[in-house]
Amino acid sequence: DQLKRIDGSKILIFQAADDDAISVPSVVRFAQQVGARLKMYKRGGHLGSSFLMKLAVWRQTIKFFKS
């Protein structure tokens, strides 16, 4: 099983509830299966690079890298 080979402690996932490209249940299931950290947002659609430029996201990402 490929999922067993993934080190979820090295994965941070940002997911928006209104993402029409990737379903929330599949992302939640993947995060749980590999032990990844999942940060959910109510809105944001299929998050693009503009989302990644937000200061709050950068703070969370830096905190994750330091943990």
Side-chain angles (χ1 to χ4, degrees):
D1 186 27
Q2 296 294 326
L3 291 175
K4 293 178 184 175
R5 298 177 56 197
I6 298 172
D7 182 356
S9 70
K10 297 180 180 182
I11 300 173
L12 172 60
I13 302 170
F14 295 100
Q15 175 69 26
D18 64 348
D19 186 336
D20 59 355
I22 301 173
S23 70
V24 171
S26 65
V27 173
V28 170
R29 185 173 52 249
F30 174 78
Q32 290 172 340
Q33 288 175 330
V34 301
R37 189 176 302 174
L38 175 60
K39 178 64 179 168
M40 292 292 304
Y41 291 89
K42 291 180 183 177
R43 296 184 314 145
H46 192 68
L47 305 174
S49 61
S50 62
F51 170 81
L52 297 175
M53 295 297 114
K54 293 185 179 186
L55 183 57
V57 173
W58 272 112
R59 286 183 179 144
Q60 291 176 52
T61 304
I62 291 167
K63 183 179 176 182
F64 175 77
F65 286 142
K66 289 182 177 180
S67 66

